[in-house]
Amino acid sequence: MAQKFKCKYCGVKEDPENLVLEKKEYTRKSNHKDGKWKKGDVYNVNVRYHKSCYDKIQQENRDLDALYDEMKRIFDVDKIPESFMGLIQRIRNGNAAIGYKKRDAKKSRQGYPYLVIRDAYLERENMIRWKSQQWDGTTGRFLSFVLHYYIADVIEDVYKRYLRKESQKRMKKDVTQTQDYSFDSFAYKEKEDEQDISDML
Ligand SMILES: [Zn+2]
């Protein structure tokens, strides 16, 4: 039997003909202790993805670029430090927290999507600009302050809106035009909702 490979994105094992191959080039960051490689040596790693997973990654990269551009614009800087963007990536993957809020991430990429983080920054743009006029610390500290206070404050709401929009998109796709909505079914649905809310109170 042919060897199966794992899709780097979703982790599912697959026959190689169903995966696209990407050769990634890395540079050694330190010397090997027995001299097998030196710092600065280049090496290749084969990475495989499902085509659909690969497309998702490309989309994510575009979303990350869009977020980066918005942040530069809002903070009025030429670049955002790499270490801070690393933190943003960990937040996206769900293994770093914003303020005290951390998505319960069991798998990779279960944190806040880049689009959600971007929308949170846009929502707080005026506050950030106002605060930046009074800020006398470093840019790094300001980025961190904004993230853990201003962004933390709104991220969960922005995320809920995003999820709602996504599920509406899915529902629109699912609804067939022949479906019959009678008045009664709406009335019943409303009652059901009331019940749900009073159960929670
Ligand atoms: Zn996959």
Side-chain angles (χ1 to χ4, degrees), residues 139-199:
T139 305
R141 287 192 74 96
F142 186 52
L143 283 167
S144 165
F145 168 84
V146 165
L147 180 70
H148 292 302
Y149 290 92
Y150 294 173
I151 301 303
D153 237 19
V154 290
I155 192 88
E156 200 55 40
D157 286 340
V158 176
Y159 186 55
K160 277 182 194 145
R161 281 207 301 269
Y162 167 86
L163 290 180
R164 231 177 289 141
K165 251 192 254 162
E166 288 296 298
S167 81
Q168 276 166 2
K169 262 192 239 164
R170 272 199 300 276
M171 260 156 54
K172 257 185 210 157
K173 269 190 211 157
D174 293 345
V175 168
T176 60
Q177 286 172 333
T178 51
Q179 217 159 353
D180 174 32
Y181 289 106
S182 70
F183 182 75
D184 279 343
S185 73
F186 272 117
Y188 175 72
K189 185 82 183 77
E190 248 165 67
K191 248 188 211 159
E192 212 176 45
D193 287 348
E194 262 172 35
Q195 185 75 42
D196 285 349
I197 290 164
S198 56
D199 279 352

Side-chain angles (χ1 to χ4, degrees), residues 18-181:
N18 295 328
L19 298 166
V20 292
L21 176 69
E22 191 184 34
K23 285 186 193 295
K24 287 200 169 182
E25 209 176 79
Y26 293 98
T27 308
R28 298 284 181 197
K29 289 201 172 100
S30 57
N31 295 320
H32 187 266
K33 62 177 167 58
D34 299 326
K36 283 187 187 163
W37 62 72
K38 300 193 302 291
K39 187 179 174 183
D41 280 358
V42 172
Y43 64 103
N44 288 304
V45 175
N46 289 340
V47 191
R48 293 175 171 83
Y49 306 96
H50 292 109
K51 177 74 176 78
S52 59
C53 288
Y54 190 73
D55 291 344
K56 274 185 215 156
I57 291 170
Q58 302 293 81
Q59 184 57 50
E60 289 224 347
N61 287 340
R62 283 193 291 272
D63 291 347
L64 178 58
D65 285 346
L67 167 63
Y68 187 73
D69 287 343
E70 289 294 0
M71 285 175 72
K72 282 196 300 186
R73 188 184 60 78
I74 292 170
F75 286 92
D76 198 17
V77 292
D78 294 332
K79 65 180 196 121
I80 307 285
E82 236 174 75
S83 58
F84 192 81
M85 291 318 288
L87 173 61
I88 294 282
Q89 275 171 311
R90 290 200 300 283
I91 288 167
R92 196 279 162 270
N93 287 332
N95 38 40
I98 298 185
Y100 51 88
K101 290 190 180 71
K102 185 176 174 183
R103 295 223 56 75
D104 184 22
K106 295 187 179 66
K107 280 189 281 178
S108 194
R109 279 171 280 269
Q110 296 286 297
Y112 296 108
Y114 293 129
L115 282 180
V116 170
I117 302 173
R118 187 201 61 185
D119 285 353
Y121 274 102
L122 287 174
E123 196 158 306
R124 286 298 165 101
E125 178 171 353
N126 288 340
M127 273 177 87
I128 294 168
R129 286 185 184 281
W130 175 78
K131 187 77 184 173
S132 76
Q133 287 166 9
Q134 309 161 17
W135 191 263
D136 59 5
T138 62
T139 305
R141 287 192 74 96
F142 186 52
L143 283 167
S144 165
F145 168 84
V146 165
L147 180 70
H148 292 302
Y149 290 92
Y150 294 173
I151 301 303
D153 237 19
V154 290
I155 192 88
E156 200 55 40
D157 286 340
V158 176
Y159 186 55
K160 277 182 194 145
R161 281 207 301 269
Y162 167 86
L163 290 180
R164 231 177 289 141
K165 251 192 254 162
E166 288 296 298
S167 81
Q168 276 166 2
K169 262 192 239 164
R170 272 199 300 276
M171 260 156 54
K172 257 185 210 157
K173 269 190 211 157
D174 293 345
V175 168
T176 60
Q177 286 172 333
T178 51
Q179 217 159 353
D180 174 32
Y181 289 106

